Amino acid sequence: MRLSAYFLPTLKENPAEAQIVSHRLMLRAGMIRQTAAGIYTWLPLGWRVLRKVEQIVREEQDRAGAQELLMPTIQAAELWKESGRYDDYGKEMLRITDRHDREMLYGPTNEEMITAVFRDNVKRYRDLPKILYHIQWKFRDEVRPRFGVMRGREFLMKDAYSFDLDPAAARRSYNRMFIAYMRTFARMGLKAIPMRADTGPIGGDLSHEFHILAETGESAVFVHRDFIETDWRNREVDYDDDLQPLVDELTGKYAVTEEKHDPAMAAELGDKLVCARGIEVGHIFNFGQKYSKAMNAVVAGPGGESITVEMGSYGIGVSRLVGALIEAYHDDAGIVWPEAVAPFKVGLINLKKGDPRCDAACETLYRAFGSDVLYDDRDERAGVKFADMDLIGLPWQVIVGPKGIANGMVELKSRRTGDRQELSLEAVLERFGV
Ligand code: 5CA
């Protein structure tokens, strides 16, 4: 993409409405614009990151055996009356009336709808287990939408739902999702801390929140030092294995809480206990038959008997993750994207637009990098180009200037470390395998 043609409205000044760094940087880097309280337009740069995050979530759900579908955002109130949550959900639910005066709503979550899809289409025990998910916009009329996409009213969520024949099988599905979450967040370069949690309006008695560590996180978490040091990225998982020992290891030995553990635990862990701050990016629930009983989601068992299915639900805040990633990865100059979610891998800076050598070298590099490069071909001062490129945080900068290119050399800068290297044009292409 050529920056001269790209829709990237960056801001030099800090917007007054933004209280936290990710909100500030998303506005300044031209990723989002607010259209109403807690409702955002995703501009091209932000949208690219959102799609990358979504794709990692999707790949890890698929790997764990979940199947993607897509349910609508608008739901009929009847379904929610069946489960009893239409009244319980209160003012957080956006209620809508259609032209026929039928009560509708903008979905804050999809337990009811997926339970209806399941009960209308699955009849036999042999069709279980099933884990179904979608990645869809939700609406919650939060009292205080704040911190940009971290607590929006409209936000993108991955929500998965599991259907099993008995509690032991439901636990296996829960464990699969648990491990899938560890892998998902690790792939984005994030440390995710699973923490035993309350179930709130979703229900059930087994639940974990996943917090990623960032200095500006909303909740305090206490976590075992060894846990922070474990790298999940390279941990291979066979989802057909019994995952219970692994989940026990993660929730037992490294138990984390919002309060300092239980004195016995504190004494045992001693100075291994680290207090950190976390942002909740995922939440999983096992709620048994709460919805299946109320909505009559049953299958015929081997002897023809009717079995009420066991369910769980598993959410990831996909749009919140974009903010959380910036909370975890930024410096004074701007965002520092981990490669896995960067909107472009390389920012190409032409320091002297109009200089035939610089232009020719940049065109060569631009073509070679293809869709993974953002080429600053604007007629701007070098300082402006450096500042913008640092602000939007692409992992690598390739800087082409008249002095260097006279000797066939360009500069490669790592956004993360700030390290700079002089390389020949060929060496840069080789370095990135293009
Ligand atoms: N039905 C369940 C699981 S699918 C559910 O809705 N869980 S939840 O309420 O915990 O939401 C799942 C995730 O969505 C949260 O962990 C959080 O990361 C994200 N989320 C929730 N509310 C918001 C919000 N207002 N803005 C941005 N993300 C949100």
Side-chain angles (χ1 to χ4, degrees), residues 244-277:
Q244 193 64 54
L246 190 50
V247 170
D248 286 345
E249 181 192 326
L250 293 170
T251 55
K253 184 168 161 207
Y254 301 131
V256 284
T257 66
E258 257 171 310
E259 273 148 50
K260 213 163 186 179
H261 290 58
D262 169 2
M265 178 85 78
E268 188 193 329
L269 295 178
D271 63 355
K272 285 275 191 185
L273 211 55
V274 180
C275 179
R277 303 208 65 85

PDB file of all heavy atoms in Angstrom, residues 244-277:
ATOM      1  N   GLN A 244      -6.915 -32.834  31.084  1.00  0.00           N
ATOM      2  CA  GLN A 244      -7.168 -32.454  32.484  1.00  0.00           C
ATOM      3  C   GLN A 244      -5.879 -32.205  33.278  1.00  0.00           C
ATOM      4  O   GLN A 244      -5.798 -31.203  34.000  1.00  0.00           O
ATOM      5  CB  GLN A 244      -8.028 -33.531  33.180  1.00  0.00           C
ATOM      6  CG  GLN A 244      -8.599 -33.089  34.525  1.00  0.00           C
ATOM      7  CD  GLN A 244      -9.583 -31.923  34.399  1.00  0.00           C
ATOM      8  OE1 GLN A 244     -10.545 -32.011  33.644  1.00  0.00           O
ATOM      9  NE2 GLN A 244      -9.348 -30.847  35.118  1.00  0.00           N
ATOM     10  N   PRO A 245      -4.842 -33.081  33.137  1.00  0.00           N
ATOM     11  CA  PRO A 245      -3.619 -32.817  33.915  1.00  0.00           C
ATOM     12  C   PRO A 245      -3.004 -31.458  33.587  1.00  0.00           C
ATOM     13  O   PRO A 245      -2.537 -30.760  34.483  1.00  0.00           O
ATOM     14  CB  PRO A 245      -2.682 -33.962  33.495  1.00  0.00           C
ATOM     15  CG  PRO A 245      -3.577 -35.029  32.984  1.00  0.00           C
ATOM     16  CD  PRO A 245      -4.778 -34.358  32.396  1.00  0.00           C
ATOM     17  N   LEU A 246      -3.036 -31.106  32.311  1.00  0.00           N
ATOM     18  CA  LEU A 246      -2.467 -29.827  31.894  1.00  0.00           C
ATOM     19  C   LEU A 246      -3.280 -28.653  32.458  1.00  0.00           C
ATOM     20  O   LEU A 246      -2.724 -27.677  32.980  1.00  0.00           O
ATOM     21  CB  LEU A 246      -2.467 -29.780  30.360  1.00  0.00           C
ATOM     22  CG  LEU A 246      -1.725 -28.656  29.666  1.00  0.00           C
ATOM     23  CD1 LEU A 246      -0.309 -28.510  30.201  1.00  0.00           C
ATOM     24  CD2 LEU A 246      -1.699 -28.911  28.154  1.00  0.00           C
ATOM     25  N   VAL A 247      -4.598 -28.777  32.399  1.00  0.00           N
ATOM     26  CA  VAL A 247      -5.456 -27.716  32.949  1.00  0.00           C
ATOM     27  C   VAL A 247      -5.254 -27.628  34.464  1.00  0.00           C
ATOM     28  O   VAL A 247      -5.157 -26.532  35.024  1.00  0.00           O
ATOM     29  CB  VAL A 247      -6.939 -27.968  32.593  1.00  0.00           C
ATOM     30  CG1 VAL A 247      -7.849 -27.007  33.356  1.00  0.00           C
ATOM     31  CG2 VAL A 247      -7.154 -27.823  31.093  1.00  0.00           C
ATOM     32  N   ASP A 248      -5.137 -28.786  35.120  1.00  0.00           N
ATOM     33  CA  ASP A 248      -4.898 -28.797  36.578  1.00  0.00           C
ATOM     34  C   ASP A 248      -3.584 -28.111  36.912  1.00  0.00           C
ATOM     35  O   ASP A 248      -3.491 -27.350  37.877  1.00  0.00           O
ATOM     36  CB  ASP A 248      -4.857 -30.236  37.113  1.00  0.00           C
ATOM     37  CG  ASP A 248      -6.248 -30.845  37.169  1.00  0.00           C
ATOM     38  OD1 ASP A 248      -7.233 -30.080  37.077  1.00  0.00           O
ATOM     39  OD2 ASP A 248      -6.350 -32.077  37.290  1.00  0.00           O
ATOM     40  N   GLU A 249      -2.577 -28.390  36.075  1.00  0.00           N
ATOM     41  CA  GLU A 249      -1.266 -27.780  36.305  1.00  0.00           C
ATOM     42  C   GLU A 249      -1.390 -26.253  36.212  1.00  0.00           C
ATOM     43  O   GLU A 249      -0.852 -25.517  37.031  1.00  0.00           O
ATOM     44  CB  GLU A 249      -0.288 -28.308  35.256  1.00  0.00           C
ATOM     45  CG  GLU A 249       1.118 -27.767  35.391  1.00  0.00           C
ATOM     46  CD  GLU A 249       1.970 -28.098  34.167  1.00  0.00           C
ATOM     47  OE1 GLU A 249       1.771 -29.184  33.561  1.00  0.00           O
ATOM     48  OE2 GLU A 249       2.821 -27.262  33.813  1.00  0.00           O
ATOM     49  N   LEU A 250      -2.139 -25.807  35.222  1.00  0.00           N
ATOM     50  CA  LEU A 250      -2.248 -24.364  34.991  1.00  0.00           C
ATOM     51  C   LEU A 250      -3.121 -23.671  36.022  1.00  0.00           C
ATOM     52  O   LEU A 250      -2.938 -22.496  36.317  1.00  0.00           O
ATOM     53  CB  LEU A 250      -2.816 -24.107  33.596  1.00  0.00           C
ATOM     54  CG  LEU A 250      -1.889 -24.513  32.456  1.00  0.00           C
ATOM     55  CD1 LEU A 250      -2.617 -24.455  31.126  1.00  0.00           C
ATOM     56  CD2 LEU A 250      -0.681 -23.597  32.422  1.00  0.00           C
ATOM     57  N   THR A 251      -4.096 -24.393  36.552  1.00  0.00           N
ATOM     58  CA  THR A 251      -5.019 -23.737  37.484  1.00  0.00           C
ATOM     59  C   THR A 251      -4.681 -24.061  38.933  1.00  0.00           C
ATOM     60  O   THR A 251      -5.123 -23.377  39.839  1.00  0.00           O
ATOM     61  CB  THR A 251      -6.473 -24.195  37.233  1.00  0.00           C
ATOM     62  OG1 THR A 251      -6.521 -25.608  37.300  1.00  0.00           O
ATOM     63  CG2 THR A 251      -6.980 -23.706  35.907  1.00  0.00           C
ATOM     64  N   GLY A 252      -3.897 -25.113  39.136  1.00  0.00           N
ATOM     65  CA  GLY A 252      -3.582 -25.540  40.495  1.00  0.00           C
ATOM     66  C   GLY A 252      -2.295 -24.944  40.972  1.00  0.00           C
ATOM     67  O   GLY A 252      -2.266 -23.970  41.718  1.00  0.00           O
ATOM     68  N   LYS A 253      -1.212 -25.495  40.459  1.00  0.00           N
ATOM     69  CA  LYS A 253       0.108 -25.097  40.918  1.00  0.00           C
ATOM     70  C   LYS A 253       0.330 -23.590  40.752  1.00  0.00           C
ATOM     71  O   LYS A 253       0.919 -22.932  41.586  1.00  0.00           O
ATOM     72  CB  LYS A 253       1.151 -25.867  40.118  1.00  0.00           C
ATOM     73  CG  LYS A 253       2.558 -25.623  40.545  1.00  0.00           C
ATOM     74  CD  LYS A 253       3.467 -26.647  39.896  1.00  0.00           C
ATOM     75  CE  LYS A 253       4.904 -26.139  39.934  1.00  0.00           C
ATOM     76  NZ  LYS A 253       5.700 -26.687  38.864  1.00  0.00           N
ATOM     77  N   TYR A 254      -0.161 -23.082  39.633  1.00  0.00           N
ATOM     78  CA  TYR A 254       0.064 -21.671  39.361  1.00  0.00           C
ATOM     79  C   TYR A 254      -1.170 -20.846  39.664  1.00  0.00           C
ATOM     80  O   TYR A 254      -1.394 -19.812  39.064  1.00  0.00           O
ATOM     81  CB  TYR A 254       0.454 -21.474  37.897  1.00  0.00           C
ATOM     82  CG  TYR A 254       1.685 -22.221  37.511  1.00  0.00           C
ATOM     83  CD1 TYR A 254       1.712 -23.012  36.382  1.00  0.00           C
ATOM     84  CD2 TYR A 254       2.838 -22.137  38.289  1.00  0.00           C
ATOM     85  CE1 TYR A 254       2.858 -23.702  36.015  1.00  0.00           C
ATOM     86  CE2 TYR A 254       3.980 -22.827  37.938  1.00  0.00           C
ATOM     87  CZ  TYR A 254       3.989 -23.606  36.806  1.00  0.00           C
ATOM     88  OH  TYR A 254       5.107 -24.279  36.452  1.00  0.00           O
ATOM     89  N   ALA A 255      -1.988 -21.348  40.563  1.00  0.00           N
ATOM     90  CA  ALA A 255      -3.269 -20.699  40.826  1.00  0.00           C
ATOM     91  C   ALA A 255      -3.120 -19.190  40.963  1.00  0.00           C
ATOM     92  O   ALA A 255      -2.217 -18.702  41.627  1.00  0.00           O
ATOM     93  CB  ALA A 255      -3.868 -21.257  42.102  1.00  0.00           C
ATOM     94  N   VAL A 256      -4.025 -18.487  40.342  1.00  0.00           N
ATOM     95  CA  VAL A 256      -3.993 -17.033  40.421  1.00  0.00           C
ATOM     96  C   VAL A 256      -5.355 -16.538  40.864  1.00  0.00           C
ATOM     97  O   VAL A 256      -6.365 -17.140  40.574  1.00  0.00           O
ATOM     98  CB  VAL A 256      -3.634 -16.396  39.066  1.00  0.00           C
ATOM     99  CG1 VAL A 256      -2.171 -16.531  38.783  1.00  0.00           C
ATOM    100  CG2 VAL A 256      -4.473 -16.985  37.954  1.00  0.00           C
ATOM    101  N   THR A 257      -5.365 -15.459  41.589  1.00  0.00           N
ATOM    102  CA  THR A 257      -6.635 -14.912  42.044  1.00  0.00           C
ATOM    103  C   THR A 257      -6.574 -13.399  41.971  1.00  0.00           C
ATOM    104  O   THR A 257      -5.526 -12.823  41.726  1.00  0.00           O
ATOM    105  CB  THR A 257      -6.937 -15.274  43.519  1.00  0.00           C
ATOM    106  OG1 THR A 257      -5.962 -14.618  44.320  1.00  0.00           O
ATOM    107  CG2 THR A 257      -6.950 -16.742  43.749  1.00  0.00           C
ATOM    108  N   GLU A 258      -7.717 -12.803  42.211  1.00  0.00           N
ATOM    109  CA  GLU A 258      -7.736 -11.351  42.251  1.00  0.00           C
ATOM    110  C   GLU A 258      -7.328 -10.865  43.646  1.00  0.00           C
ATOM    111  O   GLU A 258      -7.040  -9.703  43.832  1.00  0.00           O
ATOM    112  CB  GLU A 258      -9.134 -10.829  41.905  1.00  0.00           C
ATOM    113  CG  GLU A 258      -9.198 -10.289  40.492  1.00  0.00           C
ATOM    114  CD  GLU A 258     -10.599  -9.964  40.062  1.00  0.00           C
ATOM    115  OE1 GLU A 258     -11.490 -10.813  40.229  1.00  0.00           O
ATOM    116  OE2 GLU A 258     -10.794  -8.848  39.589  1.00  0.00           O
ATOM    117  N   GLU A 259      -7.350 -11.818  44.605  1.00  0.00           N
ATOM    118  CA  GLU A 259      -6.946 -11.415  45.939  1.00  0.00           C
ATOM    119  C   GLU A 259      -5.765 -12.245  46.383  1.00  0.00           C
ATOM    120  O   GLU A 259      -5.596 -13.371  45.947  1.00  0.00           O
ATOM    121  CB  GLU A 259      -8.108 -11.633  46.925  1.00  0.00           C
ATOM    122  CG  GLU A 259      -9.021 -10.440  46.969  1.00  0.00           C
ATOM    123  CD  GLU A 259     -10.433 -10.866  47.237  1.00  0.00           C
ATOM    124  OE1 GLU A 259     -10.617 -11.628  48.190  1.00  0.00           O
ATOM    125  OE2 GLU A 259     -11.328 -10.476  46.477  1.00  0.00           O
ATOM    126  N   LYS A 260      -4.915 -11.776  47.231  1.00  0.00           N
ATOM    127  CA  LYS A 260      -3.764 -12.517  47.704  1.00  0.00           C
ATOM    128  C   LYS A 260      -4.289 -13.625  48.598  1.00  0.00           C
ATOM    129  O   LYS A 260      -4.111 -13.604  49.785  1.00  0.00           O
ATOM    130  CB  LYS A 260      -2.819 -11.582  48.440  1.00  0.00           C
ATOM    131  CG  LYS A 260      -1.362 -11.990  48.265  1.00  0.00           C
ATOM    132  CD  LYS A 260      -0.427 -10.867  48.629  1.00  0.00           C
ATOM    133  CE  LYS A 260       1.002 -11.252  48.315  1.00  0.00           C
ATOM    134  NZ  LYS A 260       1.921 -10.185  48.633  1.00  0.00           N
ATOM    135  N   HIS A 261      -4.458 -15.166  47.311  1.00  0.00           N
ATOM    136  CA  HIS A 261      -4.685 -16.584  47.397  1.00  0.00           C
ATOM    137  C   HIS A 261      -5.259 -16.866  48.639  1.00  0.00           C
ATOM    138  O   HIS A 261      -5.620 -16.171  49.481  1.00  0.00           O
ATOM    139  CB  HIS A 261      -3.421 -17.393  47.249  1.00  0.00           C
ATOM    140  CG  HIS A 261      -2.887 -17.359  45.873  1.00  0.00           C
ATOM    141  ND1 HIS A 261      -2.571 -16.177  45.298  1.00  0.00           N
ATOM    142  CD2 HIS A 261      -2.694 -18.359  45.015  1.00  0.00           C
ATOM    143  CE1 HIS A 261      -2.122 -16.510  44.096  1.00  0.00           C
ATOM    144  NE2 HIS A 261      -2.238 -17.850  43.928  1.00  0.00           N
ATOM    145  N   ASP A 262      -5.646 -16.863  49.774  1.00  0.00           N
ATOM    146  CA  ASP A 262      -5.589 -17.996  50.659  1.00  0.00           C
ATOM    147  C   ASP A 262      -4.213 -17.983  51.328  1.00  0.00           C
ATOM    148  O   ASP A 262      -3.178 -18.142  50.686  1.00  0.00           O
ATOM    149  CB  ASP A 262      -5.805 -19.196  49.739  1.00  0.00           C
ATOM    150  CG  ASP A 262      -5.542 -20.536  50.371  1.00  0.00           C
ATOM    151  OD1 ASP A 262      -5.208 -20.592  51.559  1.00  0.00           O
ATOM    152  OD2 ASP A 262      -5.697 -21.525  49.655  1.00  0.00           O
ATOM    153  N   PRO A 263      -4.124 -17.766  52.723  1.00  0.00           N
ATOM    154  CA  PRO A 263      -2.833 -17.639  53.420  1.00  0.00           C
ATOM    155  C   PRO A 263      -1.943 -18.865  53.233  1.00  0.00           C
ATOM    156  O   PRO A 263      -0.719 -18.730  53.110  1.00  0.00           O
ATOM    157  CB  PRO A 263      -3.233 -17.502  54.898  1.00  0.00           C
ATOM    158  CG  PRO A 263      -4.696 -17.211  54.919  1.00  0.00           C
ATOM    159  CD  PRO A 263      -5.273 -17.677  53.642  1.00  0.00           C
ATOM    160  N   ALA A 264      -2.549 -20.068  53.209  1.00  0.00           N
ATOM    161  CA  ALA A 264      -1.756 -21.289  53.050  1.00  0.00           C
ATOM    162  C   ALA A 264      -1.013 -21.260  51.718  1.00  0.00           C
ATOM    163  O   ALA A 264       0.184 -21.542  51.640  1.00  0.00           O
ATOM    164  CB  ALA A 264      -2.660 -22.521  53.117  1.00  0.00           C
ATOM    165  N   MET A 265      -1.752 -20.890  50.696  1.00  0.00           N
ATOM    166  CA  MET A 265      -1.176 -20.806  49.353  1.00  0.00           C
ATOM    167  C   MET A 265      -0.064 -19.767  49.331  1.00  0.00           C
ATOM    168  O   MET A 265       1.016 -19.991  48.787  1.00  0.00           O
ATOM    169  CB  MET A 265      -2.281 -20.418  48.371  1.00  0.00           C
ATOM    170  CG  MET A 265      -1.829 -20.255  46.946  1.00  0.00           C
ATOM    171  SD  MET A 265      -1.814 -21.804  46.071  1.00  0.00           S
ATOM    172  CE  MET A 265      -3.550 -22.001  45.732  1.00  0.00           C
ATOM    173  N   ALA A 266      -0.334 -18.626  49.950  1.00  0.00           N
ATOM    174  CA  ALA A 266       0.645 -17.537  49.964  1.00  0.00           C
ATOM    175  C   ALA A 266       1.930 -17.989  50.649  1.00  0.00           C
ATOM    176  O   ALA A 266       3.030 -17.694  50.191  1.00  0.00           O
ATOM    177  CB  ALA A 266       0.060 -16.311  50.652  1.00  0.00           C
ATOM    178  N   ALA A 267       1.787 -18.735  51.762  1.00  0.00           N
ATOM    179  CA  ALA A 267       2.957 -19.212  52.493  1.00  0.00           C
ATOM    180  C   ALA A 267       3.763 -20.174  51.630  1.00  0.00           C
ATOM    181  O   ALA A 267       4.992 -20.115  51.593  1.00  0.00           O
ATOM    182  CB  ALA A 267       2.503 -19.898  53.780  1.00  0.00           C
ATOM    183  N   GLU A 268       3.042 -21.046  50.892  1.00  0.00           N
ATOM    184  CA  GLU A 268       3.719 -22.036  50.063  1.00  0.00           C
ATOM    185  C   GLU A 268       4.460 -21.388  48.900  1.00  0.00           C
ATOM    186  O   GLU A 268       5.588 -21.726  48.574  1.00  0.00           O
ATOM    187  CB  GLU A 268       2.679 -23.022  49.530  1.00  0.00           C
ATOM    188  CG  GLU A 268       3.295 -24.200  48.827  1.00  0.00           C
ATOM    189  CD  GLU A 268       2.221 -24.945  48.058  1.00  0.00           C
ATOM    190  OE1 GLU A 268       1.055 -24.937  48.508  1.00  0.00           O
ATOM    191  OE2 GLU A 268       2.560 -25.504  47.003  1.00  0.00           O
ATOM    192  N   LEU A 269       3.804 -20.420  48.294  1.00  0.00           N
ATOM    193  CA  LEU A 269       4.400 -19.813  47.097  1.00  0.00           C
ATOM    194  C   LEU A 269       5.431 -18.737  47.446  1.00  0.00           C
ATOM    195  O   LEU A 269       6.366 -18.493  46.691  1.00  0.00           O
ATOM    196  CB  LEU A 269       3.311 -19.230  46.194  1.00  0.00           C
ATOM    197  CG  LEU A 269       2.353 -20.254  45.595  1.00  0.00           C
ATOM    198  CD1 LEU A 269       1.293 -19.550  44.767  1.00  0.00           C
ATOM    199  CD2 LEU A 269       3.087 -21.282  44.738  1.00  0.00           C
ATOM    200  N   GLY A 270       5.228 -18.100  48.609  1.00  0.00           N
ATOM    201  CA  GLY A 270       6.195 -17.121  49.094  1.00  0.00           C
ATOM    202  C   GLY A 270       6.562 -16.084  48.055  1.00  0.00           C
ATOM    203  O   GLY A 270       5.694 -15.483  47.435  1.00  0.00           O
ATOM    204  N   ASP A 271       7.875 -15.926  47.871  1.00  0.00           N
ATOM    205  CA  ASP A 271       8.306 -14.847  46.975  1.00  0.00           C
ATOM    206  C   ASP A 271       8.139 -15.206  45.506  1.00  0.00           C
ATOM    207  O   ASP A 271       8.538 -14.458  44.622  1.00  0.00           O
ATOM    208  CB  ASP A 271       9.733 -14.418  47.288  1.00  0.00           C
ATOM    209  CG  ASP A 271      10.717 -15.536  47.050  1.00  0.00           C
ATOM    210  OD1 ASP A 271      10.259 -16.659  46.736  1.00  0.00           O
ATOM    211  OD2 ASP A 271      11.927 -15.294  47.162  1.00  0.00           O
ATOM    212  N   LYS A 272       7.580 -16.381  45.249  1.00  0.00           N
ATOM    213  CA  LYS A 272       7.296 -16.751  43.852  1.00  0.00           C
ATOM    214  C   LYS A 272       6.048 -16.044  43.347  1.00  0.00           C
ATOM    215  O   LYS A 272       5.688 -16.116  42.178  1.00  0.00           O
ATOM    216  CB  LYS A 272       7.076 -18.272  43.740  1.00  0.00           C
ATOM    217  CG  LYS A 272       8.344 -19.071  43.831  1.00  0.00           C
ATOM    218  CD  LYS A 272       9.000 -19.158  42.455  1.00  0.00           C
ATOM    219  CE  LYS A 272      10.129 -20.175  42.448  1.00  0.00           C
ATOM    220  NZ  LYS A 272      10.841 -20.171  41.160  1.00  0.00           N
ATOM    221  N   LEU A 273       5.346 -15.412  44.292  1.00  0.00           N
ATOM    222  CA  LEU A 273       4.089 -14.780  43.937  1.00  0.00           C
ATOM    223  C   LEU A 273       4.347 -13.348  43.443  1.00  0.00           C
ATOM    224  O   LEU A 273       4.964 -12.551  44.117  1.00  0.00           O
ATOM    225  CB  LEU A 273       3.190 -14.739  45.172  1.00  0.00           C
ATOM    226  CG  LEU A 273       1.700 -14.813  44.947  1.00  0.00           C
ATOM    227  CD1 LEU A 273       1.321 -16.038  44.134  1.00  0.00           C
ATOM    228  CD2 LEU A 273       1.000 -14.852  46.292  1.00  0.00           C
ATOM    229  N   VAL A 274       3.838 -13.079  42.249  1.00  0.00           N
ATOM    230  CA  VAL A 274       4.046 -11.759  41.665  1.00  0.00           C
ATOM    231  C   VAL A 274       2.700 -11.064  41.524  1.00  0.00           C
ATOM    232  O   VAL A 274       1.724 -11.684  41.127  1.00  0.00           O
ATOM    233  CB  VAL A 274       4.666 -11.890  40.255  1.00  0.00           C
ATOM    234  CG1 VAL A 274       4.890 -10.522  39.629  1.00  0.00           C
ATOM    235  CG2 VAL A 274       5.955 -12.677  40.306  1.00  0.00           C
ATOM    236  N   CYS A 275       2.648  -9.803  41.898  1.00  0.00           N
ATOM    237  CA  CYS A 275       1.417  -9.050  41.684  1.00  0.00           C
ATOM    238  C   CYS A 275       1.538  -8.310  40.357  1.00  0.00           C
ATOM    239  O   CYS A 275       2.491  -7.596  40.122  1.00  0.00           O
ATOM    240  CB  CYS A 275       1.187  -8.051  42.814  1.00  0.00           C
ATOM    241  SG  CYS A 275      -0.316  -7.086  42.530  1.00  0.00           S
ATOM    242  N   ALA A 276       0.557  -8.537  39.501  1.00  0.00           N
ATOM    243  CA  ALA A 276       0.600  -7.894  38.181  1.00  0.00           C
ATOM    244  C   ALA A 276      -0.768  -7.312  37.879  1.00  0.00           C
ATOM    245  O   ALA A 276      -1.707  -7.493  38.657  1.00  0.00           O
ATOM    246  CB  ALA A 276       0.992  -8.927  37.128  1.00  0.00           C
ATOM    247  N   ARG A 277      -0.865  -6.612  36.761  1.00  0.00           N
ATOM    248  CA  ARG A 277      -2.171  -6.076  36.372  1.00  0.00           C
ATOM    249  C   ARG A 277      -2.633  -6.772  35.109  1.00  0.00           C
ATOM    250  O   ARG A 277      -1.844  -7.116  34.241  1.00  0.00           O
ATOM    251  CB  ARG A 277      -2.096  -4.562  36.176  1.00  0.00           C
ATOM    252  CG  ARG A 277      -1.603  -3.830  37.421  1.00  0.00           C
ATOM    253  CD  ARG A 277      -2.132  -2.421  37.509  1.00  0.00           C
ATOM    254  NE  ARG A 277      -3.568  -2.357  37.686  1.00  0.00           N
ATOM    255  CZ  ARG A 277      -4.193  -2.442  38.866  1.00  0.00           C
ATOM    256  NH1 ARG A 277      -3.500  -2.640  39.970  1.00  0.00           N
ATOM    257  NH2 ARG A 277      -5.493  -2.344  38.932  1.00  0.00           N
TER     258      ARG A 277
END
